[in-house]
Amino acid sequence: MNVQSVCVLGGTGFVGRHLVTRLANSGRQVTVLTRHRERRCRELLVMPNVELVEAQVGDRAALLAAFAGQDAVINLIGILNEDTAQRFDDVHATLPGRVADACREAGVARLLHMSALNADAVNGASHYLKSKGIGEDAAHAVSGVAVTSFRPSIIFGGDDSFFNRFARLLRLAPALPLACPGARFQPVYVGDVANAFVRSLDAADSVGQRLELGGPRIYTLRELVEYTAQLIGVKRLVIGLPDGLARLQAAIFERLPGKPFTTDNYRSLQVDSVVRGTDGFALLGITPRSVEAVMPREMKSRNYRGSYDGYRTRAARD
């Protein structure tokens, strides 16, 4: 395989910005589809080898036009919660098959698809995970296109929505009631995820694979929240909620603006987000970076003040 031109769907999002930068720096020509060219990621507009094109990804004709002449397509589009404009069935379940079909019709030989750990069309613990599984299966079912899907645990980085959300919450009150404190994650650095996508473009042994991506260490949700408090230099009481109260919190919070926590999120947390299948990093020869190696510097760069000495000592001991 010799992929020189790539069309990216979802290229203005958190993972997308990092991935597009990696692709452009590798010398590839990158086309990023976006609904609002001038509003999203203006830094991409001035990046060499990158072109932002306005398009509606639900429009088959628009996809065919954008995919024409491309060597590969990468689909990163996904949502954490539903609203009146975006539904799991449309974004996760239906779109991936439509993208794969458009690749076949446009003559695109390579497709990379972003899924999620525990995605399962039949036995997914939540609507989110079931819809992810349906879409992943649909992409792999299209003949004539070399498909690789990626199943990451939670993805972290300086501009993520995980550590930064908890950092904001921890600054608001002396205690934080936390649903599902024992839920387990294997956080993976966004730069390593981007690297996995780039390497797999030309890796023949990744074709047809559903690669799971996890970092070098497993944490409970409570551990990650308490660690975040250390990073921003605050002392907070993290109160683990029993199951009944966790469900109640979800029922209340999903009615708030922005839906900070939903019943579907609660259901997803009932299954540990850890690697059990094919280790994508091992297959691609990547050594993933740890939370400890990345986040102290990243959080400090975002003007979160605090001492890291205690955490560094514990990290070295571990």
Side-chain angles (χ1 to χ4, degrees), residues 13 17 21 25-26 44 61 75 79-80 94 96 116 147 154 172 197 223-224 232 234 242 299 309-310:
R17 295 192 301 272
T21 300
N25 288 342
S26 72
L44 297 183
N75 178 26
I79 56 175
L80 289 177
T94 302
V147 180
I154 56 169
L172 294 177
F197 272 79
E223 288 173 334
L224 290 172
I232 65 174
V234 299
M299 295 295 271
D309 293 342

Side-chain angles (χ1 to χ4, degrees), residues 204-262:
D205 56 350
S206 72
V207 173
Q209 297 274 9
R210 305 183 189 219
L211 302 179
E212 299 192 354
L213 302 179
R217 183 175 169 187
I218 296 171
Y219 310 77
T220 66
L221 181 57
R222 180 193 290 273
E223 288 173 334
L224 290 172
V225 173
E226 291 176 342
Y227 161 62
T228 304
Q230 283 187 286
L231 282 184
I232 65 174
V234 299
K235 293 183 178 180
R236 296 291 187 264
L237 178 63
V238 178
I239 304 170
L241 297 178
D243 189 68
L245 288 180
R247 289 172 179 267
L248 178 61
Q249 185 187 69
I252 294 172
F253 281 21
E254 67 186 0
R255 299 178 183 276
L256 299 178
K259 296 186 176 182
F261 185 56
T262 70

Side-chain angles (χ1 to χ4, degrees), residues 80-81 117-118 124-129 153-154 162 165-166 177-186 219-222 224-225 241 243 246-247 249-250 260-274 276:
L80 289 177
N81 293 310
L117 269 181
N118 301 314
S126 63
H127 189 189
Y128 171 86
L129 292 173
S153 186
I154 56 169
F162 183 85
R165 173 178 291 184
F166 278 113
L178 184 67
C180 309
R184 299 198 309 158
F185 299 92
Q186 198 168 342
Y219 310 77
T220 66
L221 181 57
R222 180 193 290 273
L224 290 172
V225 173
L241 297 178
D243 189 68
R247 289 172 179 267
Q249 185 187 69
F261 185 56
T262 70
T263 300
D264 203 67
N265 298 152
Y266 163 84
R267 291 174 180 144
S268 292
L269 290 175
Q270 302 312 297
V271 184
D272 290 338
S273 184
V274 300
R276 298 185 182 89

Side-chain angles (χ1 to χ4, degrees), residues 10-269:
T12 60
F14 169 49
V15 176
R17 295 192 301 272
H18 289 264
L19 176 54
V20 168
T21 300
R22 292 288 180 94
L23 289 168
N25 288 342
S26 72
R28 294 178 170 89
Q29 297 296 318
V30 186
T31 300
V32 178
L33 301 190
T34 177
R35 288 178 296 174
H36 307 290
R37 183 177 183 275
E38 299 299 331
R39 293 190 210 169
R40 304 298 300 273
C41 283
R42 294 184 179 179
E43 65 269 25
L44 297 183
L45 288 169
V46 297
M47 190 175 293
N49 305 336
V50 176
E51 180 184 12
L52 269 67
V53 174
E54 286 196 7
Q56 297 292 332
V57 296
D59 184 337
R60 177 176 167 277
L63 290 182
L64 290 174
F67 293 175
Q70 300 287 346
D71 295 326
V73 168
I74 299 177
N75 178 26
L76 302 173
I77 295 177
I79 56 175
L80 289 177
N81 293 310
E82 295 182 305
D83 56 30
T84 55
Q86 295 183 308
R87 313 295 296 180
F88 288 146
D89 288 342
D90 297 327
V91 178
H92 295 164
T94 302
L95 180 62
R98 181 182 296 132
V99 169
D101 282 333
C103 284
R104 178 180 57 189
E105 189 167 345
V108 179
R110 193 76 172 100
L111 171 62
L112 306 185
H113 171 69
M114 178 67 89
S115 186
L117 269 181
N118 301 314
D120 190 316
V122 177
N123 299 311
S126 63
H127 189 189
Y128 171 86
L129 292 173
K130 284 183 179 179
S131 65
K132 278 286 191 179
I134 292 170
E136 182 183 306
D137 289 347
H140 280 268
V142 174
S143 61
V145 181
V147 180
T148 303
S149 55
F150 295 83
R151 297 174 150 207
S153 186
I154 56 169
I155 303 175
F156 69 88
D159 50 343
D160 68 27
S161 61
F162 183 85
F163 282 103
N164 285 286
R165 173 178 291 184
F166 278 113
R168 290 190 292 270
L169 290 173
L170 287 163
R171 286 192 174 276
L172 294 177
L176 179 66
L178 184 67
C180 309
R184 299 198 309 158
F185 299 92
Q186 198 168 342
V188 55
Y189 176 50
V190 63
D192 294 330
V193 174
N195 194 17
F197 272 79
V198 173
R199 286 200 184 185
S200 70
L201 281 172
D202 295 319
D205 56 350
S206 72
V207 173
Q209 297 274 9
R210 305 183 189 219
L211 302 179
E212 299 192 354
L213 302 179
R217 183 175 169 187
I218 296 171
Y219 310 77
T220 66
L221 181 57
R222 180 193 290 273
E223 288 173 334
L224 290 172
V225 173
E226 291 176 342
Y227 161 62
T228 304
Q230 283 187 286
L231 282 184
I232 65 174
V234 299
K235 293 183 178 180
R236 296 291 187 264
L237 178 63
V238 178
I239 304 170
L241 297 178
D243 189 68
L245 288 180
R247 289 172 179 267
L248 178 61
Q249 185 187 69
I252 294 172
F253 281 21
E254 67 186 0
R255 299 178 183 276
L256 299 178
K259 296 186 176 182
F261 185 56
T262 70
T263 300
D264 203 67
N265 298 152
Y266 163 84
R267 291 174 180 144
S268 292
L269 290 175

